[in-house]
Amino acid sequence: MKHFHYIFTGSGLAALMTVYEMVQSGKFEGKTILLLDENSKKQNDRTWCFWDKKETFDSLVSKKWKAAWFKNEHFEKQLALHPYQYKMVKGLDFYTMVFDLLSNQKNIHFAHQKVIDFQELGHHCVVKTEMESYSCNQIFNSIFNPETIKNQTKYPFLYQHFLGWFIKSEEAVFNPDCVTFMDFSVEQKGNTRFMYVLPTSETEALLEYTLFSKDLLAKAEYETEIKNYIDKLGITNYELVEKEQGNIPMTCYPFWKHNSENIIHIGSAGGWTKASTGYTFRNTVKKSKALIQFLSKENDFRKFHKKDKFWFYDLLLLDILNKKNELGSSIFSAMFEKGNTAIIFQFLDEETSFLEDLQVIWKCPKGLFVRAFFKRFFDF
């Protein structure tokens, strides 16, 4: 049985970002590392977007926007994003960058194998794949098992689920300088539903039909809504270039309680997704940096967790959307119609003071959050 210091079960965004940070730190050159995943990461299987006021992975950013539309059935508002920019990174560009870096690291290995089990046995761990078994000192697991959350009722669980089409239109209908952040003018059908449009030229854009809800849709329903939206934009002739589809867990479930001394859950399996929005890339950058800093001082993964005011804010929103999913449009509309976009982004990045928190929170429907607060307060 081959032995490694660290094994990553799964090699998605969280695993690759964490290994990237390990290499960048220069502190793990003497540690053997194995990444296990049945997917070789050779295709552009997803697109990540994030707002940023620094130069985070700018070499990978394929498009930036300085303005964004927010729309619903009653109003539309162009948001000035300064000092932020909205940025897009293609999955394949990120995978290529990381694997090019890892290929020069003699201590890091990759195996195209499906993980079927892993466990901690005393002071070491064992990982089983469909082909063989490995031992290691510690495991970073990013394989998400939704049944963990579905079998409990204390913490609500929604999905951000979407299907996207990248199209080339014969008509010049897009503004390449302005992203459509959320367009709630689409029929809500008892859910939180919106269109998300990332234009890369006057004739090219990624259009995603997105929901925050408990249940996924049949593929045909997403595609029907995208077609309807394309018609609404006045597009009559277009080429469908690429598709993407995904679902991201939105929950405040305390994943860290499943960490052991030598096994840590990362990515979606560790609650690294921003629970109230489903945004993943920026959160993963911050979490992976924090994890590598933690490893320079600590060795017990049970100590790596944080539950703060932002965790509680997210929990209140999910409590509301879990019971009254149709209210998402009114909540986000109230926030963005009169709110300061820069402070909202700072708030969603969990970087605001309490007074700044209130500037955002009090724009939202107060009664909903007050009732959710007292119900949750007495639950605790």
Side-chain angles (χ1 to χ4, degrees):
M1 190 184 299
K2 296 177 184 177
H3 183 83
F4 296 85
H5 287 98
Y6 302 116
I7 292 181
F8 286 79
T9 52
S11 65
L13 175 63
L16 294 180
M17 192 75 78
T18 301
V19 174
Y20 172 84
E21 291 295 338
M22 284 178 158
V23 174
Q24 294 298 105
S25 75
K27 297 178 180 179
F28 296 85
E29 293 176 356
K31 306 292 186 181
T32 52
I33 300 169
L34 174 66
L35 293 98
L36 293 168
D37 199 309
E38 59 183 329
N39 188 326
S40 61
K41 306 298 179 184
K42 299 294 185 183
Q43 295 181 324
N44 189 50
D45 57 353
R46 65 198 65 225
T47 302
W48 292 297
C49 288
F50 59 103
W51 48 84
D52 185 42
K53 55 184 177 182
K54 298 180 181 178
E55 296 182 354
T56 307
F57 288 103
D58 259 18
S59 62
L60 298 180
V61 172
S62 59
K63 179 65 178 174
K64 300 178 183 179
W65 297 271
K66 295 182 179 179
W69 283 108
F70 182 94
K71 303 178 182 181
N72 65 20
E73 67 274 25
H74 302 300
F75 79 94
E76 58 183 47
K77 178 183 179 182
Q78 190 174 65
L79 310 172
L81 304 184
H82 183 78
Y84 292 90
Q85 291 182 312
Y86 200 67
K87 300 180 178 181
M88 178 170 70
V89 171
K90 295 179 180 178
L92 184 59
D93 291 341
F94 176 75
Y95 303 146
T96 301
M97 184 271 293
V98 175
F99 281 115
D100 283 349
L101 175 67
L102 300 188
S103 67
N104 296 316
Q105 312 300 315
K106 294 181 180 180
N107 62 315
I108 301 178
H109 309 271
F110 187 91
H112 297 159
Q113 297 177 19
K114 182 178 180 179
V115 175
I116 58 174
D117 190 28
F118 59 87
Q119 57 184 314
E120 184 174 356
L121 300 173
H123 296 294
H124 74 285
C125 304
V126 173
V127 179
K128 296 180 181 180
T129 73
E130 291 180 331
M131 300 173 63
E132 56 189 307
S133 295
Y134 303 90
S135 65
C136 63
N137 295 59
Q138 293 186 308
I139 293 173
F140 298 79
N141 171 58
S142 57
I143 300 173
F144 177 63
N145 179 10
E147 298 306 315
T148 303
I149 309 172
K150 291 180 178 179
N151 291 331
Q152 56 82 46
T153 56
K154 186 172 183 178
Y155 301 96
F157 175 41
L158 304 177
Y159 284 111
Q160 183 201 108
H161 49 111
F162 57 89
L163 188 143
W165 281 7
F166 185 81
I167 67 167
K168 288 185 178 181
S169 166
E170 290 187 9
E171 296 92 348
V173 299
F174 301 111
N175 178 357
D177 298 319
C178 190
V179 62
T180 299
F181 185 55
M182 286 177 157
D183 185 349
F184 284 103
S185 66
V186 298
E187 189 177 352
Q188 296 297 285
K189 301 181 181 180
N191 296 127
T192 298
R193 303 183 180 213
F194 58 93
M195 286 297 303
Y196 176 55
V197 184
L198 303 170
T200 55
S201 75
E202 292 183 346
T203 58
E204 299 170 291
L206 172 63
L207 299 90
E208 291 190 345
Y209 184 63
T210 307
L211 293 84
F212 297 167
S213 66
K214 295 179 183 179
D215 300 313
L216 307 183
L217 306 180
K219 185 177 181 180
E221 188 170 348
Y222 299 98
E223 296 192 328
T224 296
E225 295 297 335
I226 293 175
K227 291 174 185 176
N228 291 341
Y229 196 80
I230 289 173
D231 290 342
K232 180 180 173 182
L233 292 174
I235 297 172
T236 56
N237 294 292
Y238 63 91
E239 174 190 354
L240 176 55
V241 178
E242 196 173 68
K243 293 183 181 182
E244 66 176 37
Q245 185 170 10
N247 58 83
I248 302 166
M250 301 172 67
T251 181
C252 287
Y253 180 81
F255 292 95
W256 61 82
K257 291 185 177 181
H258 296 287
N259 294 343
S260 65
E261 181 178 356
N262 295 310
I263 299 177
I264 187 169
H265 302 280
I266 63 175
S268 294
W272 285 19
T273 297
K274 175 65 174 171
S276 58
T277 63
Y279 276 88
T280 302
F281 192 86
R282 181 68 185 275
N283 246 33
T284 301
V285 171
K286 295 168 75 172
K287 290 283 190 181
S288 59
K289 287 181 182 294
L291 180 54
I292 297 312
Q293 290 175 359
F294 170 86
L295 280 173
S296 68
K297 301 175 183 178
E298 299 281 354
N299 201 41
D300 185 344
F301 284 141
R302 291 171 294 188
K303 298 178 182 179
F304 184 76
H305 70 85
K306 182 182 74 171
K307 187 166 75 172
D308 57 17
K309 61 178 181 177
F310 297 104
W311 175 87
F312 189 68
Y313 298 156
D314 286 351
L315 180 60
L316 295 182
L317 176 63
L318 292 179
D319 278 342
I320 294 168
L321 295 183
N322 184 53
K323 293 185 177 179
K324 297 183 177 181
N325 195 243
E326 72 280 4
L327 296 180
S329 174
S330 61
I331 293 171
F332 285 100
S333 295
M335 185 186 300
F336 280 99
E337 182 175 10
K338 297 180 180 179
N340 182 308
T341 305
I343 292 180
I344 293 171
F345 282 174
Q346 192 176 346
F347 173 77
L348 295 175
D349 275 341
E350 305 184 354
E351 296 173 353
T352 44
S353 66
F354 183 66
L355 290 178
E356 289 170 325
D357 299 345
L358 293 180
Q359 290 183 50
V360 176
I361 293 170
W362 288 116
K363 294 289 190 301
C364 300
K366 298 178 182 61
L368 289 174
F369 283 87
V370 169
R371 287 191 292 273
F373 171 81
F374 281 108
K375 185 177 187 309
R376 183 55 71 170
F377 180 81
F378 287 112
D379 281 349
F380 283 129

